[in-house]
Amino acid sequence: MQFDLVFEGGGIRGIVFVGALREFARRGHTPGRIMGASAGAITATALAVGYDADEMFAALTERVDGQPVFARFLEQPQRFDSATLDRSSLRAWLRNADLPIVPDRVEENFDGWVVDTLLQAPIFRHVFSLVELGGWFAADEIVAWMERMLDAGSLRGQPRRFSRATLAELYAVTQVDLTLLATDVTDGRLLVLNHRTAPDCPVVWAVRMSMGIPFLWQEVLWRQEWGSYRGKEIIGHAVVDGGVLANFPIELFITDAAMWTAVMGPKQHNHLIGLLIDDARAVPGASAPPAGQSGGLAQLATFRRINAVINTMLSARDKAVIEAYERFVVRLPAKGYGVTEFDLSDARRDILVAAGEQTMCDYLDVVELAPPMALTAPEPLAFTRQADEVAARILGE
């Protein structure tokens, strides 16, 4: 049976999807349209380029120099281009702090020396990155890892070569309808990125934007060569994590509104599974992480507060639709696992994957015995209207 699949964001906890997909494939099911936000964008993209669960597991557990690859994602900013430095608030402040008698050329050189000297200190590079680029950490390692993943292995007997592919080029080769979600903070709107809406956007950068947790990683500025979004020029717009506005937009695969079929394409069937990472559901056999291994940056009070606010906002936005379409949602357990627990031990990782596999098994046992499910509800008209209205709000129309 073919199912449209929606993958929620959830940081490192997204490895639970591997277990769920292992069981999904074992039953002989296949994906139709695929959509992901934040960490779910990684899983969605891997699935789109033909990764099976074992390949996905290998990619997600890659180690570099003996260190989990995800731990390298929290990388210290190393350098900033001259344009960023010139337009920075720091340089503007130094220019405004005029030194009497000192010639402008000498003062300009002195200002440059001050900036260069401050940036020698690692902590100041982090602060500068946060203030000027919207994130405490750089994300070059994320992009490099995604490029390796998209060029590893083979698809239908041919080497994968998708690290430079655009969304349109990916679709042309795979015929997989992939949608990734990001947030345009300049315009305050959701970006629904696929081969229809942003054909010239590179796949790697669509993933990078979708998983760009605000304040954690630097914002991405939309580039001219990425073309327009739904016919609108957004060059220079700052883009972050899709989860800010829609972490689990299952309604985008439900609504029949014309505005959305133009964006998402027409439904080919009524089979749908939303894979939700459930913080409230315990992971069987899991214990608390060892001291000092509980999420790194998540231990900082500021980021805990930011995370709590964002989680509350996302839960409120998604809650009504999730409850309405509960029978299409697989609640994958993740209680006690941190979003940024990038130093996840092998034992805790394997327990989480096994929990995902068992949860999907339990869900499919019910689905396969039940009559074919349709995207309806006890009050179909009101129900569909609810999905249409929610979809329209996040589309900004």
Side-chain angles (χ1 to χ4, degrees):
M1 189 181 299
Q2 189 177 73
F3 290 85
D4 290 343
L5 299 176
V6 181
F7 295 94
E8 188 197 24
I12 189 62
R13 301 171 305 171
I15 200 168
V16 72
F17 295 143
V18 171
L21 289 173
R22 185 173 287 154
E23 180 63 19
F24 179 82
R26 189 184 71 79
R27 302 279 186 121
H29 301 305
T30 57
R33 295 178 297 174
I34 307 170
M35 178 165 55
S38 194
I42 296 176
T43 304
T45 302
L47 200 58
V49 299
Y51 269 66
D52 62 25
D54 291 337
E55 285 181 296
M56 214 175 289
F57 182 81
L60 295 173
T61 58
E62 180 185 349
R63 301 184 78 87
V64 178
D65 298 329
Q67 185 182 39
V69 68
F70 281 174
R72 297 168 63 91
F73 289 0
L74 302 181
E75 60 180 312
Q76 182 184 110
Q78 294 300 318
R79 62 184 67 86
F80 303 94
D81 59 54
S82 58
T84 298
L85 295 174
D86 287 342
R87 66 172 179 261
S88 68
S89 301
L90 177 60
R91 285 302 294 262
W93 180 82
L94 289 170
R95 289 189 189 102
N96 291 332
D98 186 55
L99 298 176
I101 306 176
V102 178
D104 289 345
R105 180 62 180 271
V106 174
E107 186 174 351
E108 182 70 18
N109 290 337
F110 177 74
D111 292 348
W113 176 84
V114 169
V115 173
D116 291 343
T117 301
L118 289 171
L119 289 174
Q120 297 303 310
I123 188 63
F124 189 81
R125 287 202 295 273
H126 281 298
V127 172
F128 185 90
S129 177
L130 178 63
V131 171
E132 302 297 340
L133 300 175
W136 188 259
F137 294 106
D140 295 340
E141 287 290 340
I142 295 176
V143 174
W145 177 74
M146 279 300 305
E147 289 176 340
R148 293 198 303 274
M149 191 185 79
L150 290 172
D151 282 346
S154 61
L155 173 65
R156 302 170 193 152
Q158 298 296 321
R160 286 193 185 97
R161 292 292 182 266
F162 298 116
S163 65
R164 298 291 182 269
T166 64
L167 290 168
E169 290 167 343
L170 177 68
Y171 179 75
V173 173
T174 65
Q175 292 298 295
V176 175
D177 203 329
L178 171 69
T179 294
L180 305 178
L181 303 171
T183 301
D184 180 347
V185 295
T186 301
D187 250 4
R189 67 184 296 177
L190 181 70
L191 299 181
V192 182
L193 304 173
N194 57 38
H195 67 281
R196 301 177 189 87
T197 63
D200 297 325
C201 179
V203 177
V204 165
W205 284 99
V207 177
R208 164 68 182 88
M209 288 185 284
S210 184
M211 62 178 294
I213 299 174
F215 311 117
L216 184 65
W217 286 303
Q218 295 169 354
E219 300 168 340
V220 176
L221 300 183
W222 190 277
R223 302 177 187 175
Q224 182 174 5
E225 60 266 29
W226 297 351
S228 62
Y229 170 71
R230 299 185 67 208
K232 178 181 179 180
E233 294 299 334
I234 58 171
I235 299 167
H237 285 207
V239 184
V240 300
D241 195 319
V244 170
L245 289 181
N247 205 37
F248 192 65
I250 194 170
E251 66 272 19
L252 303 191
F253 278 161
I254 293 171
T255 177
D256 285 316
M259 72 176 71
W260 274 110
T261 56
V263 171
M264 303 299 298
K267 288 187 290 191
Q268 302 298 318
H269 49 71
N270 282 327
H271 305 128
L272 170 65
I273 295 178
L275 292 93
L276 178 73
I277 298 174
D278 193 338
D279 291 323
R281 187 168 182 180
V283 179
S287 57
Q293 189 183 351
S294 54
L297 190 70
Q299 294 302 296
L300 296 181
T302 299
F303 284 95
R304 287 204 306 272
R305 293 189 183 104
I306 291 169
N307 189 59
V309 170
I310 291 176
N311 282 343
T312 300
M313 177 186 68
L314 296 178
S315 297
R317 196 213 68 80
D318 291 325
K319 187 176 180 181
V321 174
I322 291 172
E323 289 179 349
Y325 290 95
E326 184 70 38
R327 59 178 173 164
F328 298 103
V329 177
V330 180
R331 293 181 174 272
L332 300 169
K335 185 176 182 178
Y337 283 76
V339 172
T340 56
E341 194 179 332
F342 293 139
D343 51 358
L344 189 67
S345 70
D346 292 352
R348 279 175 57 76
R349 175 202 67 203
D350 293 345
I351 288 171
L352 186 60
V353 171
E357 190 169 357
Q358 184 59 54
T359 304
M360 179 61 88
C361 179
D362 295 341
Y363 177 82
L364 291 175
D365 281 346
V366 175
V367 169
E368 291 171 353
L369 291 176
M373 293 191 294
L375 301 181
T376 57
E379 299 179 31
L381 182 60
F383 191 58
T384 302
R385 186 182 298 119
Q386 178 190 34
D388 291 348
E389 289 173 354
V390 174
R393 284 200 300 273
I394 65 175
L395 184 63
E397 297 187 359

